[in-house]
Amino acid sequence: MALKVPRAGGPSLFKDGYKHLQGIEEAVLRNIQAVNELSDIVRTSFGPNGRNKMVVNHLGRIFVTSDAATIIREMEVVHPAAKLLVFASQQQEAEMGDATNFVLIFAGELLRQAELLISLGLHPTEIVQGYELARERALELLEDLSIATLSTPPTQESLALALRPALASKQYGHEDLLAPLVAQAVSLVLPPSSDSLRDFSVDNVRVVKIMGGSLAQSRVVRGMVFGREPEGSVKSVRSAKVAVFSCGLDISQTETKGTVLLHNAQELRNFSRGEERQLEQMLQEIADSGVKCVVTQSTVGELALHYLNRLGIMVMKIPSKFELQRLCRLLGATPLARIGAPMAEEAGFIDSASVTEIGGDRVTVFRQEEGEKGGKSCPRLATIVLRGATTSFLDDVERTIDDGINAVKSLTRDPRLVPGAGATEIELARKIVEYGERTPGLNQHAIRKFGEALHVIPRTLAETSGLDATELISRLHTQHAVPEHADIGVDVDQSADGTLSTVEAQIFDVLVAKHWALRYATNAAIDVLKVDSIIMSKPAGIKAPGRNPNWDED
């Protein structure tokens, strides 16, 4: 019997359940529409007057924020084309820690402009070539727009100046409180020499949120703060040697089960006394090594706590593995997996550890001053203690501080700053449109549309501030025609003409963050335009049974 071979093409090419969409109408324009929907969602959250989004994730947790990275992460986007933009924004978040919304908005606008060109008859390949030329030209022009440079080594004043715009874009009105706070915390942990500034780690600045009070009561602590008290009766130590254990402080359990026959109380006392003496001996060895503070990740037994209190040793329990690792970096300690006296290179040192009260909550503060501790050079850590009325507000401020710290991380790589408030985008748009007019061939249309797409940033700033966007962009173009006015941007405070000098207002953006945002956004838009066919297989798994409509009948 001959083997039947299905004919090529048609429904026999794929298994049952496959979907195959191809061509301009079905693939390209559908992808552009999906990306535009995603871009429109986060676009209204851009800038100081951006609107908040309320996102309820699959676990029922509520997020009220204007931070695009959080919105995208919790929305769980499933459309494959929109996911390309999500991946680009996530890479921007991982690389720079800020400007994720810029990537989404600009990539969406590039595709919106591409849709107009496709409707006029241009092929997506021609649009891609034009966008690639415009991207390279924009990155070249961006290098010449730097108008300020962060001082080296950075001071608290210069850090606060560079941080204010990044913080104002998320918490407008609180930037004057937050900028000095973050600048103080960062200056405490920055490496002392300018040559090692690239070694600055964002993990060295922590945030602890304590409900109550107002944001003005927030402060910076040199060291680490934990929202719990020590386990024992010893509440404070000074200039202490510290031992860190990743195991529990308790009598060890045997690996096998057994049965012991006891005849009288004396045998019972002797049976338990052996384990007690063994535990007491191990803890006595720890005390004899000079340890005044013990930190553990697991449980602390009542008997061990009794002996530690008698020996005058402070006991701190830190359940979080990541917090324990940070504390080990601060102390210069090595976490031990067995109970016993630490060797000299395994022990850590702390200047002071004490319990204090903040807003009715008792917290433990590990303070570490400068200099070597016990012959070790320990990294410096700082903690920002945030105060606020609601949990959602504290979470949003924490995300804002994280963006500010990442902005400092970017500035340690490249200290140059460019005009903010949309001034950079207007200047780039004007020069790229001129570049497009000088370019021969069909690529000039895509290059000009690239320049027009840059208008989306000042336009969005104007719209969220209640200004007339069309009139404002025309006014900005008129002023930017004069070379001395290349720093004129959008005034979100709605002054007389809606524009301001970003140099006088001290509003700057980080050049390297803008560089990577332009690159990632353009690459994501090009990737979407290069797709001409969508092939989807049938989803795996068994369909869950539906609810019985007659469930309430007898």
Side-chain angles (χ1 to χ4, degrees), residues 7 151 177 181 189 238 259 282 301 304 324 381 448 455 469 548:
R7 291 180 302 170
S151 61
L177 283 174
L181 202 69
V189 303
R238 296 189 65 83
T259 302
M282 289 189 292
L324 192 74
L381 272 75
R448 292 178 62 184
H455 290 160
N548 182 9

Side-chain angles (χ1 to χ4, degrees), residues 14 55 82 95 98-99 110 155 190 204 321 334 464 510 516 547:
F14 301 114
V55 183
E95 187 75 24
D98 199 8
L110 283 175
T155 62
L190 276 176
N204 289 346
K321 177 178 68 176
T334 302
T464 56
V510 182
W516 285 107
R547 183 175 178 180

Side-chain angles (χ1 to χ4, degrees), residues 152-469:
T152 304
T155 62
Q156 284 196 33
E157 291 75 16
S158 62
L159 283 172
L161 182 66
L163 285 170
R164 281 185 75 255
L167 300 174
S169 65
K170 299 289 190 302
Q171 290 290 330
Y172 187 47
H174 294 142
E175 66 272 13
D176 291 331
L177 283 174
L178 293 174
L181 202 69
V182 178
Q184 180 187 354
V186 169
S187 62
L188 289 176
V189 303
L190 276 176
S193 64
S194 57
D195 297 334
S196 57
L197 280 179
R198 283 179 172 269
D199 297 333
F200 167 69
S201 173
V202 294
D203 285 338
N204 289 346
V205 180
R206 296 182 61 253
V207 175
V208 171
K209 299 168 287 187
I210 297 179
M211 290 277 290
S214 65
L215 193 62
Q217 294 173 328
S218 303
R219 56 195 176 96
V220 177
V221 175
R222 185 197 294 271
M224 292 185 70
V225 179
F226 300 97
R228 59 189 303 151
E229 292 186 71
E231 300 296 314
S233 58
V234 182
K235 301 296 183 183
S236 65
V237 292
R238 296 189 65 83
S239 301
K241 189 176 181 180
V242 185
V244 182
F245 298 97
S246 59
C247 60
L249 298 177
D250 203 352
I251 297 174
S252 58
Q253 301 292 327
T254 57
E255 294 183 2
T256 59
K257 293 183 179 180
T259 302
V260 179
L261 183 61
L262 303 174
H263 296 88
N264 51 47
Q266 185 66 30
E267 291 181 358
L268 177 61
R269 187 182 301 112
N270 293 337
F271 177 76
S272 60
R273 184 60 182 162
E275 290 184 335
E276 292 175 6
R277 284 177 178 171
Q278 183 183 9
L279 180 62
E280 182 180 12
Q281 182 181 359
M282 289 189 292
L283 297 178
Q284 185 65 49
E285 290 176 359
I286 294 175
D288 292 342
S289 66
V291 172
K292 296 182 183 178
C293 178
V294 169
V295 180
T296 178
Q297 185 184 348
S298 190
T299 57
V300 181
E302 292 184 2
L303 186 62
L305 191 59
H306 164 71
Y307 288 133
L308 289 168
N309 285 337
R310 200 167 68 180
L311 294 169
I313 297 176
M314 178 178 170
V315 188
M316 187 68 193
K317 179 182 175 183
I318 302 175
S320 171
K321 177 178 68 176
F322 304 104
E323 295 294 328
L324 192 74
Q325 290 173 351
R326 289 191 181 99
L327 182 62
C328 286
R329 293 211 328 266
L330 175 69
L331 303 173
T334 302
L336 305 176
R338 44 101 185 119
I339 303 176
M343 292 186 289
E345 62 271 14
E346 295 174 337
F349 296 88
I350 193 69
D351 287 315
S352 69
S354 59
V355 177
T356 185
E357 187 170 331
I358 300 177
D361 294 339
R362 296 183 68 80
V363 298
T364 304
V365 181
F366 282 77
R367 295 182 186 273
Q368 188 77 290
E369 302 302 330
E370 293 196 48
E372 292 191 353
K373 305 299 173 188
K376 300 180 183 181
S377 179
C378 303
R380 297 179 290 182
L381 272 75
T383 301
I384 300 175
V385 181
L386 282 182
R387 306 298 310 283
T390 62
T391 306
S392 61
F393 174 72
L394 287 174
D395 290 341
D396 212 21
V397 174
E398 182 183 14
R399 286 186 284 266
T400 303
I401 289 176
D402 183 62
D403 287 347
I405 296 169
N406 278 286
V408 176
K409 176 68 175 177
S410 303
L411 288 168
T412 58
R413 301 180 185 181
D414 189 339
R416 292 177 295 173
L417 300 167
V418 293
T424 299
E425 286 77 10
I426 286 290
E427 188 68 16
L428 286 176
R430 191 175 64 84
K431 291 183 177 179
I432 288 175
V433 169
E434 293 176 358
Y435 171 64
E437 291 174 350
R438 298 193 305 268
T439 303
L442 293 175
N443 289 338
Q444 64 173 301
H445 300 291
I447 295 174
R448 292 178 62 184
K449 287 298 182 183
F450 187 99
E452 293 175 15
L454 286 164
H455 290 160
V456 70
I457 301 301
R459 181 181 296 277
T460 302
L461 290 173
E463 289 173 353
T464 56
S465 303
L467 301 171
D468 187 339

